[in-house]
């Protein structure tokens, strides 16, 4: 039946990260793979009470169809929460989505024709790569520096793409604690990116799932808050701040762009679950999302610290292994010596009962074989220590085997 | 910013039915518009208890990310439920979707390139029309008869499309109590449709949201159950059998087709909410969906009876107004005299505090101006009576005004 496939699906592969999630079902594997939020941060007692009350007393509403734009109660609560953060919007600028992956899908639907160009980081979030690939978008990678995307390189690649007659549409960035690298874009670069977008008439897709999980350093304003032309679309999500199982996110956009996104969502899933929307809204109204975030940030900081400490303790020194030290989010990004293939190494790692995400699938240019992503979010500091010790052993063995093979040649 | 729109979104309109849902928020309007399930059928006490228990005791699981294919517990429960209905499948043939609209979106993504042909009823479900339109599919309408799609016409239109060099991909049908017409496809036609699909190498998208809400007559086997080649994809949903607010459905497909759908879903929303999946699964395991359906079918029958009785009582006789009498589902389909435009009439109806869905948006050939859909599902028999009386008054006035205008010419 493969001859019935669309052109777009024939070019789309299964997601390595989703297949990996299946492995984490084996209880003896320590997984640094999926970017899963820490379950101990889920306010489950409060949510259980809210869910039961909503379903019992408000079932005619929360178990019914809802507005495509999303529940007004939730959108109002999000507006109230965003205002002190310098994002002063009305509910008309907010669209509730069935988590951020849907927001990426809607961006593709609304704005991207096949062969349209989107610039993205090297590396970048692989879920975005999957969405762009499914819509046959031309993904042009731009290297990352320690303070975010290399904007000189972005300008160079814009010029090359324009010279080649391509249709340039957008820049996709994850400014805070980027997935997978953990890198944060500086304020200067955010401003300059916005200027470039203005000059070149590009949209900016600002994906910020982790910004509210900052546990060190100072918050940096979102690009959305600095945009006075309505060319930035901001993606926020409840998946990391509240829990992933609600499949709930919001995207911010203005005017025509919002109108296009709403039309795309109507055809995509009519509306997001009112039940999950109202659970989140009531949690925000009763307990305050900011209070909750204050409680959970130290949990993630402790895990990051445990991972950094374990990496320093166990990883072979002097062979050129490096890793990032993010100020928030869920991920440490690791670079192995050139010539080591993290995808090949994964099989050994799984035999040693530890898992991670190979970096290659986060590179749209086919690079990154020697990189990998370590999520410190799911497991306890003690397990992190144990898992990194296992991983270090696998890395050491892999490097030694490589050296032996090189010597034998 | 409209110049940033994709070609596909530039051609997609806002859904009239979704905009209509907003009107139903006004409490004094009697709405026969949206196909909303009856809230008194939602087993809210049971669901409240289940939700609280799941979140409290199983939060590490139900509030976390899940498998793209869907929770195994839910898929197993669905398999058990389907077996006595003559659909004997394993969980590998089941994909959980974020309600049926997403299933339509995934069908488009996986199988339909721009300009590919899908045959559908005249009229057909407008949500499917929206999905196909967004993916720039060539929708070819085929008239409906009292026992379903006119298959002679289908064969004629297949020939015409082939002669025109088009790429024929699929037939989209809603065999039970079709939306919007309420018409059920006979067993003979189901068999013949499958033969035509085999001969012409077409897929069949069998959308069955209402089949389990049969309150009169005998069930007819699904086309999926008669297919031994794996060319039928069956869409089922919990939106009408349990409640709409969970945004939960399942689609059945085999082999390569299922593989393509899973890949499409990964890029679309990663996974459906585990919380909503487990609520449905636990409800099925503890109470039995079939027991629930036995309880709710009479509720819908009573409402249909009330609507049919009110139509007979109030609608002007002898002017050529007709309506269907469905054996299940949510909808009565009404045909006004030629020359009456149900879209124009809606404004008057809303002034008279009654709403419906004009039929034109369910016709992909631009026809159907004199048709409209009446959902009897949401309101009580008493309100149905009151609403149809209002509507009859609007219809009478509209016809009389038309006659006066014709006389004056």
């Amino acid at each position: 039946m493969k001859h019935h496939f669309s052109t777009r699906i024939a070019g789309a592969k299964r997601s390595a990260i989703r297949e990996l999630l299946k492995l984490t079902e084996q209880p003896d594997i320590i997984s640094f793979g999926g970017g899963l939020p820490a379950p101990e941060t889920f306010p489950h007692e409060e949510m259980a009470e809210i869910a039961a009350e909503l379903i019992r007393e408000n079932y005619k509403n929360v178990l019914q169809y809802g507005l495509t734009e999303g529940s007004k109660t939730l959108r109002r609560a999000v507006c109230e929460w965003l205002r002190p953060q310098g994002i002063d919007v009305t509910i008309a600028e907010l669209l509730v989505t069935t988590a951020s992956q849907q927001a990426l899908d809607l961006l593709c639907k609304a704005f991207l024709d096949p062969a349209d160009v989107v610039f993205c980081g090297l590396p970048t979030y692989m879920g975005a790569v999957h969405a762009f690939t499914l819509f046959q978008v031309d993904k042009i990678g731009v290297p990352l520096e320690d303070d975010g995307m290399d904007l000189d390189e972005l300008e160079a690649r814009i010029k090359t793409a324009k010279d080649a007659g391509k249709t340039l549409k957008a820049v996709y960035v994850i400014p805070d604690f980027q997935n997978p690298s953990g890198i944060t874009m500086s304020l200067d670069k955010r401003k300059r990116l916005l200027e470039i977008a203005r000059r070149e008439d590009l949209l900016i897709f600002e994906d910020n799932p982790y910004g509210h999980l900052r546990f060190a350093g100072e918050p940096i304003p979102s690009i959305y808050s600095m945009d006075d032309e309505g060319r930035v679309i901001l993606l926020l999500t409840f998946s990391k701040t509240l829990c992933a199982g609600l499949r709930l996110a919001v995207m911010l956009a203005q005017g025509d762009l919002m109108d296009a996104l709403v039309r795309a969502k109507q055809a995509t899933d009519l509306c997001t679950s009112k039940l999950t929307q109202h659970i989140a809204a009531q949690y925000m109204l009763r307990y305050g999302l900011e209070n909750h975030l204050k409680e959970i940030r130290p949990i993630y900081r402790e895990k990051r610290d445990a991972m950094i400490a374990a990496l320093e303790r166990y990883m072979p020194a002097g062979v050129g292994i490096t890793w990032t030290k993010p100020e928030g989010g869920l991920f440490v990004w690791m670079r192995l010596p050139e010539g080591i293939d993290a995808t090949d190494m994964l099989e050994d790692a799984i035999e040693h009962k530890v898992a991670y995400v190979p970096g290659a699938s986060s590179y749209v240019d086919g690079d990154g074989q020697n990189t990998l992503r370590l999520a410190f979010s799911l497991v306890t500091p003690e397990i992190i220590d144990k898992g990194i010790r296992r991983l270090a052993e696998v890395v050491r063995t892999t490097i030694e085997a490589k050296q032996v093979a090189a010597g034998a040649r």
Side-chain angles (χ1 to χ4, degrees), chain A residues 198-212:
Chain A
R198 274 179 193 150
R199 193 184 68 221
E200 303 292 342
D201 191 22
L202 297 171
L203 300 174
I204 295 177
F205 301 156
E206 182 181 20
D207 190 3
N208 198 341
Y210 317 108
H212 293 99

mmCIF file with all atom_site columns, all heavy atoms in Angstrom, chain A residues 198-212:
data_model
loop_
_atom_site.group_PDB
_atom_site.id
_atom_site.type_symbol
_atom_site.label_atom_id
_atom_site.label_alt_id
_atom_site.label_comp_id
_atom_site.label_asym_id
_atom_site.label_entity_id
_atom_site.label_seq_id
_atom_site.pdbx_PDB_ins_code
_atom_site.Cartn_x
_atom_site.Cartn_y
_atom_site.Cartn_z
_atom_site.occupancy
_atom_site.B_iso_or_equiv
_atom_site.pdbx_formal_charge
_atom_site.auth_seq_id
_atom_site.auth_comp_id
_atom_site.auth_asym_id
_atom_site.auth_atom_id
_atom_site.pdbx_PDB_model_num
ATOM 1   N N   . ARG A 1 198 ? 13.200 42.133 10.352 1.00 0.00 ? 198 ARG A N   1
ATOM 2   C CA  . ARG A 1 198 ? 12.534 43.314 9.778  1.00 0.00 ? 198 ARG A CA  1
ATOM 3   C C   . ARG A 1 198 ? 13.070 43.618 8.398  1.00 0.00 ? 198 ARG A C   1
ATOM 4   O O   . ARG A 1 198 ? 12.328 43.816 7.451  1.00 0.00 ? 198 ARG A O   1
ATOM 5   C CB  . ARG A 1 198 ? 12.807 44.538 10.663 1.00 0.00 ? 198 ARG A CB  1
ATOM 6   C CG  . ARG A 1 198 ? 11.835 44.684 11.795 1.00 0.00 ? 198 ARG A CG  1
ATOM 7   C CD  . ARG A 1 198 ? 12.196 45.919 12.625 1.00 0.00 ? 198 ARG A CD  1
ATOM 8   N NE  . ARG A 1 198 ? 11.446 45.856 13.869 1.00 0.00 ? 198 ARG A NE  1
ATOM 9   C CZ  . ARG A 1 198 ? 11.840 46.360 15.026 1.00 0.00 ? 198 ARG A CZ  1
ATOM 10  N NH1 . ARG A 1 198 ? 12.985 47.014 15.115 1.00 0.00 ? 198 ARG A NH1 1
ATOM 11  N NH2 . ARG A 1 198 ? 11.092 46.240 16.096 1.00 0.00 ? 198 ARG A NH2 1
ATOM 12  N N   . ARG A 1 199 ? 14.370 43.680 8.318  1.00 0.00 ? 199 ARG A N   1
ATOM 13  C CA  . ARG A 1 199 ? 15.023 44.066 7.067  1.00 0.00 ? 199 ARG A CA  1
ATOM 14  C C   . ARG A 1 199 ? 14.711 43.066 5.955  1.00 0.00 ? 199 ARG A C   1
ATOM 15  O O   . ARG A 1 199 ? 14.449 43.442 4.811  1.00 0.00 ? 199 ARG A O   1
ATOM 16  C CB  . ARG A 1 199 ? 16.533 44.154 7.297  1.00 0.00 ? 199 ARG A CB  1
ATOM 17  C CG  . ARG A 1 199 ? 17.295 44.836 6.187  1.00 0.00 ? 199 ARG A CG  1
ATOM 18  C CD  . ARG A 1 199 ? 18.786 44.792 6.467  1.00 0.00 ? 199 ARG A CD  1
ATOM 19  N NE  . ARG A 1 199 ? 19.288 43.425 6.383  1.00 0.00 ? 199 ARG A NE  1
ATOM 20  C CZ  . ARG A 1 199 ? 20.173 42.893 7.233  1.00 0.00 ? 199 ARG A CZ  1
ATOM 21  N NH1 . ARG A 1 199 ? 20.634 43.581 8.251  1.00 0.00 ? 199 ARG A NH1 1
ATOM 22  N NH2 . ARG A 1 199 ? 20.571 41.644 7.067  1.00 0.00 ? 199 ARG A NH2 1
ATOM 23  N N   . GLU A 1 200 ? 14.702 41.774 6.327  1.00 0.00 ? 200 GLU A N   1
ATOM 24  C CA  . GLU A 1 200 ? 14.517 40.725 5.308  1.00 0.00 ? 200 GLU A CA  1
ATOM 25  C C   . GLU A 1 200 ? 13.061 40.283 5.216  1.00 0.00 ? 200 GLU A C   1
ATOM 26  O O   . GLU A 1 200 ? 12.751 39.354 4.467  1.00 0.00 ? 200 GLU A O   1
ATOM 27  C CB  . GLU A 1 200 ? 15.406 39.520 5.645  1.00 0.00 ? 200 GLU A CB  1
ATOM 28  C CG  . GLU A 1 200 ? 16.890 39.848 5.764  1.00 0.00 ? 200 GLU A CG  1
ATOM 29  C CD  . GLU A 1 200 ? 17.504 40.226 4.416  1.00 0.00 ? 200 GLU A CD  1
ATOM 30  O OE1 . GLU A 1 200 ? 16.892 39.920 3.367  1.00 0.00 ? 200 GLU A OE1 1
ATOM 31  O OE2 . GLU A 1 200 ? 18.593 40.851 4.418  1.00 0.00 ? 200 GLU A OE2 1
ATOM 32  N N   . ASP A 1 201 ? 12.185 40.945 5.979  1.00 0.00 ? 201 ASP A N   1
ATOM 33  C CA  . ASP A 1 201 ? 10.767 40.577 6.013  1.00 0.00 ? 201 ASP A CA  1
ATOM 34  C C   . ASP A 1 201 ? 10.558 39.089 6.312  1.00 0.00 ? 201 ASP A C   1
ATOM 35  O O   . ASP A 1 201 ? 9.861  38.378 5.588  1.00 0.00 ? 201 ASP A O   1
ATOM 36  C CB  . ASP A 1 201 ? 10.063 40.965 4.702  1.00 0.00 ? 201 ASP A CB  1
ATOM 37  C CG  . ASP A 1 201 ? 8.548  40.834 4.827  1.00 0.00 ? 201 ASP A CG  1
ATOM 38  O OD1 . ASP A 1 201 ? 8.039  40.860 5.964  1.00 0.00 ? 201 ASP A OD1 1
ATOM 39  O OD2 . ASP A 1 201 ? 7.878  40.696 3.784  1.00 0.00 ? 201 ASP A OD2 1
ATOM 40  N N   . LEU A 1 202 ? 11.167 38.632 7.379  1.00 0.00 ? 202 LEU A N   1
ATOM 41  C CA  . LEU A 1 202 ? 11.007 37.244 7.825  1.00 0.00 ? 202 LEU A CA  1
ATOM 42  C C   . LEU A 1 202 ? 10.135 37.192 9.072  1.00 0.00 ? 202 LEU A C   1
ATOM 43  O O   . LEU A 1 202 ? 10.100 38.139 9.860  1.00 0.00 ? 202 LEU A O   1
ATOM 44  C CB  . LEU A 1 202 ? 12.380 36.644 8.180  1.00 0.00 ? 202 LEU A CB  1
ATOM 45  C CG  . LEU A 1 202 ? 13.398 36.537 7.049  1.00 0.00 ? 202 LEU A CG  1
ATOM 46  C CD1 . LEU A 1 202 ? 14.761 36.140 7.609  1.00 0.00 ? 202 LEU A CD1 1
ATOM 47  C CD2 . LEU A 1 202 ? 12.925 35.508 6.017  1.00 0.00 ? 202 LEU A CD2 1
ATOM 48  N N   . LEU A 1 203 ? 9.428  36.095 9.247  1.00 0.00 ? 203 LEU A N   1
ATOM 49  C CA  . LEU A 1 203 ? 8.768  35.839 10.516 1.00 0.00 ? 203 LEU A CA  1
ATOM 50  C C   . LEU A 1 203 ? 9.787  35.239 11.489 1.00 0.00 ? 203 LEU A C   1
ATOM 51  O O   . LEU A 1 203 ? 10.781 34.653 11.061 1.00 0.00 ? 203 LEU A O   1
ATOM 52  C CB  . LEU A 1 203 ? 7.607  34.851 10.330 1.00 0.00 ? 203 LEU A CB  1
ATOM 53  C CG  . LEU A 1 203 ? 6.489  35.276 9.366  1.00 0.00 ? 203 LEU A CG  1
ATOM 54  C CD1 . LEU A 1 203 ? 5.482  34.134 9.184  1.00 0.00 ? 203 LEU A CD1 1
ATOM 55  C CD2 . LEU A 1 203 ? 5.785  36.535 9.857  1.00 0.00 ? 203 LEU A CD2 1
ATOM 56  N N   . ILE A 1 204 ? 9.519  35.411 12.783 1.00 0.00 ? 204 ILE A N   1
ATOM 57  C CA  . ILE A 1 204 ? 10.333 34.719 13.781 1.00 0.00 ? 204 ILE A CA  1
ATOM 58  C C   . ILE A 1 204 ? 9.416  33.776 14.558 1.00 0.00 ? 204 ILE A C   1
ATOM 59  O O   . ILE A 1 204 ? 8.398  34.205 15.101 1.00 0.00 ? 204 ILE A O   1
ATOM 60  C CB  . ILE A 1 204 ? 11.024 35.701 14.749 1.00 0.00 ? 204 ILE A CB  1
ATOM 61  C CG1 . ILE A 1 204 ? 12.031 36.565 13.987 1.00 0.00 ? 204 ILE A CG1 1
ATOM 62  C CG2 . ILE A 1 204 ? 11.728 34.940 15.877 1.00 0.00 ? 204 ILE A CG2 1
ATOM 63  C CD1 . ILE A 1 204 ? 12.716 37.626 14.841 1.00 0.00 ? 204 ILE A CD1 1
ATOM 64  N N   . PHE A 1 205 ? 9.753  32.499 14.539 1.00 0.00 ? 205 PHE A N   1
ATOM 65  C CA  . PHE A 1 205 ? 9.048  31.518 15.358 1.00 0.00 ? 205 PHE A CA  1
ATOM 66  C C   . PHE A 1 205 ? 9.865  31.354 16.642 1.00 0.00 ? 205 PHE A C   1
ATOM 67  O O   . PHE A 1 205 ? 10.928 30.728 16.632 1.00 0.00 ? 205 PHE A O   1
ATOM 68  C CB  . PHE A 1 205 ? 8.941  30.170 14.636 1.00 0.00 ? 205 PHE A CB  1
ATOM 69  C CG  . PHE A 1 205 ? 8.225  30.216 13.309 1.00 0.00 ? 205 PHE A CG  1
ATOM 70  C CD1 . PHE A 1 205 ? 8.487  29.231 12.338 1.00 0.00 ? 205 PHE A CD1 1
ATOM 71  C CD2 . PHE A 1 205 ? 7.282  31.196 13.007 1.00 0.00 ? 205 PHE A CD2 1
ATOM 72  C CE1 . PHE A 1 205 ? 7.823  29.239 11.111 1.00 0.00 ? 205 PHE A CE1 1
ATOM 73  C CE2 . PHE A 1 205 ? 6.615  31.212 11.776 1.00 0.00 ? 205 PHE A CE2 1
ATOM 74  C CZ  . PHE A 1 205 ? 6.890  30.235 10.822 1.00 0.00 ? 205 PHE A CZ  1
ATOM 75  N N   . GLU A 1 206 ? 9.374  31.960 17.719 1.00 0.00 ? 206 GLU A N   1
ATOM 76  C CA  . GLU A 1 206 ? 10.112 31.945 18.996 1.00 0.00 ? 206 GLU A CA  1
ATOM 77  C C   . GLU A 1 206 ? 9.512  30.866 19.896 1.00 0.00 ? 206 GLU A C   1
ATOM 78  O O   . GLU A 1 206 ? 8.441  31.056 20.472 1.00 0.00 ? 206 GLU A O   1
ATOM 79  C CB  . GLU A 1 206 ? 10.011 33.326 19.662 1.00 0.00 ? 206 GLU A CB  1
ATOM 80  C CG  . GLU A 1 206 ? 10.780 33.413 20.975 1.00 0.00 ? 206 GLU A CG  1
ATOM 81  C CD  . GLU A 1 206 ? 10.670 34.772 21.674 1.00 0.00 ? 206 GLU A CD  1
ATOM 82  O OE1 . GLU A 1 206 ? 9.723  35.533 21.366 1.00 0.00 ? 206 GLU A OE1 1
ATOM 83  O OE2 . GLU A 1 206 ? 11.535 35.059 22.521 1.00 0.00 ? 206 GLU A OE2 1
ATOM 84  N N   . ASP A 1 207 ? 10.210 29.772 20.022 1.00 0.00 ? 207 ASP A N   1
ATOM 85  C CA  . ASP A 1 207 ? 9.708  28.616 20.763 1.00 0.00 ? 207 ASP A CA  1
ATOM 86  C C   . ASP A 1 207 ? 10.342 28.646 22.147 1.00 0.00 ? 207 ASP A C   1
ATOM 87  O O   . ASP A 1 207 ? 11.557 28.543 22.283 1.00 0.00 ? 207 ASP A O   1
ATOM 88  C CB  . ASP A 1 207 ? 10.099 27.340 19.999 1.00 0.00 ? 207 ASP A CB  1
ATOM 89  C CG  . ASP A 1 207 ? 9.418  26.097 20.554 1.00 0.00 ? 207 ASP A CG  1
ATOM 90  O OD1 . ASP A 1 207 ? 8.614  26.210 21.488 1.00 0.00 ? 207 ASP A OD1 1
ATOM 91  O OD2 . ASP A 1 207 ? 9.709  25.000 20.033 1.00 0.00 ? 207 ASP A OD2 1
ATOM 92  N N   . ASN A 1 208 ? 9.511  28.809 23.168 1.00 0.00 ? 208 ASN A N   1
ATOM 93  C CA  . ASN A 1 208 ? 10.099 28.942 24.501 1.00 0.00 ? 208 ASN A CA  1
ATOM 94  C C   . ASN A 1 208 ? 9.450  28.004 25.541 1.00 0.00 ? 208 ASN A C   1
ATOM 95  O O   . ASN A 1 208 ? 8.739  28.436 26.435 1.00 0.00 ? 208 ASN A O   1
ATOM 96  C CB  . ASN A 1 208 ? 10.024 30.395 24.983 1.00 0.00 ? 208 ASN A CB  1
ATOM 97  C CG  . ASN A 1 208 ? 10.994 30.627 26.122 1.00 0.00 ? 208 ASN A CG  1
ATOM 98  O OD1 . ASN A 1 208 ? 11.443 29.681 26.768 1.00 0.00 ? 208 ASN A OD1 1
ATOM 99  N ND2 . ASN A 1 208 ? 11.332 31.871 26.381 1.00 0.00 ? 208 ASN A ND2 1
ATOM 100 N N   . PRO A 1 209 ? 9.747  26.721 25.434 1.00 0.00 ? 209 PRO A N   1
ATOM 101 C CA  . PRO A 1 209 ? 9.150  25.788 26.395 1.00 0.00 ? 209 PRO A CA  1
ATOM 102 C C   . PRO A 1 209 ? 9.833  25.792 27.761 1.00 0.00 ? 209 PRO A C   1
ATOM 103 O O   . PRO A 1 209 ? 9.247  25.320 28.735 1.00 0.00 ? 209 PRO A O   1
ATOM 104 C CB  . PRO A 1 209 ? 9.326  24.421 25.722 1.00 0.00 ? 209 PRO A CB  1
ATOM 105 C CG  . PRO A 1 209 ? 10.328 24.599 24.657 1.00 0.00 ? 209 PRO A CG  1
ATOM 106 C CD  . PRO A 1 209 ? 10.492 26.048 24.370 1.00 0.00 ? 209 PRO A CD  1
ATOM 107 N N   . TYR A 1 210 ? 11.081 26.306 27.804 1.00 0.00 ? 210 TYR A N   1
ATOM 108 C CA  . TYR A 1 210 ? 11.869 26.134 29.036 1.00 0.00 ? 210 TYR A CA  1
ATOM 109 C C   . TYR A 1 210 ? 12.145 27.426 29.774 1.00 0.00 ? 210 TYR A C   1
ATOM 110 O O   . TYR A 1 210 ? 12.667 27.408 30.883 1.00 0.00 ? 210 TYR A O   1
ATOM 111 C CB  . TYR A 1 210 ? 13.217 25.468 28.699 1.00 0.00 ? 210 TYR A CB  1
ATOM 112 C CG  . TYR A 1 210 ? 13.094 24.334 27.733 1.00 0.00 ? 210 TYR A CG  1
ATOM 113 C CD1 . TYR A 1 210 ? 13.528 24.455 26.416 1.00 0.00 ? 210 TYR A CD1 1
ATOM 114 C CD2 . TYR A 1 210 ? 12.492 23.140 28.124 1.00 0.00 ? 210 TYR A CD2 1
ATOM 115 C CE1 . TYR A 1 210 ? 13.383 23.414 25.514 1.00 0.00 ? 210 TYR A CE1 1
ATOM 116 C CE2 . TYR A 1 210 ? 12.345 22.102 27.230 1.00 0.00 ? 210 TYR A CE2 1
ATOM 117 C CZ  . TYR A 1 210 ? 12.790 22.241 25.918 1.00 0.00 ? 210 TYR A CZ  1
ATOM 118 O OH  . TYR A 1 210 ? 12.629 21.219 25.035 1.00 0.00 ? 210 TYR A OH  1
ATOM 119 N N   . GLY A 1 211 ? 11.823 28.567 29.163 1.00 0.00 ? 211 GLY A N   1
ATOM 120 C CA  . GLY A 1 211 ? 12.195 29.870 29.729 1.00 0.00 ? 211 GLY A CA  1
ATOM 121 C C   . GLY A 1 211 ? 11.770 30.044 31.179 1.00 0.00 ? 211 GLY A C   1
ATOM 122 O O   . GLY A 1 211 ? 12.483 30.683 31.953 1.00 0.00 ? 211 GLY A O   1
ATOM 123 N N   . HIS A 1 212 ? 10.626 29.480 31.534 1.00 0.00 ? 212 HIS A N   1
ATOM 124 C CA  . HIS A 1 212 ? 10.156 29.649 32.917 1.00 0.00 ? 212 HIS A CA  1
ATOM 125 C C   . HIS A 1 212 ? 10.824 28.688 33.885 1.00 0.00 ? 212 HIS A C   1
ATOM 126 O O   . HIS A 1 212 ? 10.555 28.727 35.078 1.00 0.00 ? 212 HIS A O   1
ATOM 127 C CB  . HIS A 1 212 ? 8.628  29.528 32.967 1.00 0.00 ? 212 HIS A CB  1
ATOM 128 C CG  . HIS A 1 212 ? 7.953  30.655 32.251 1.00 0.00 ? 212 HIS A CG  1
ATOM 129 N ND1 . HIS A 1 212 ? 7.471  30.545 30.964 1.00 0.00 ? 212 HIS A ND1 1
ATOM 130 C CD2 . HIS A 1 212 ? 7.744  31.943 32.626 1.00 0.00 ? 212 HIS A CD2 1
ATOM 131 C CE1 . HIS A 1 212 ? 6.969  31.706 30.591 1.00 0.00 ? 212 HIS A CE1 1
ATOM 132 N NE2 . HIS A 1 212 ? 7.116  32.577 31.559 1.00 0.00 ? 212 HIS A NE2 1
#
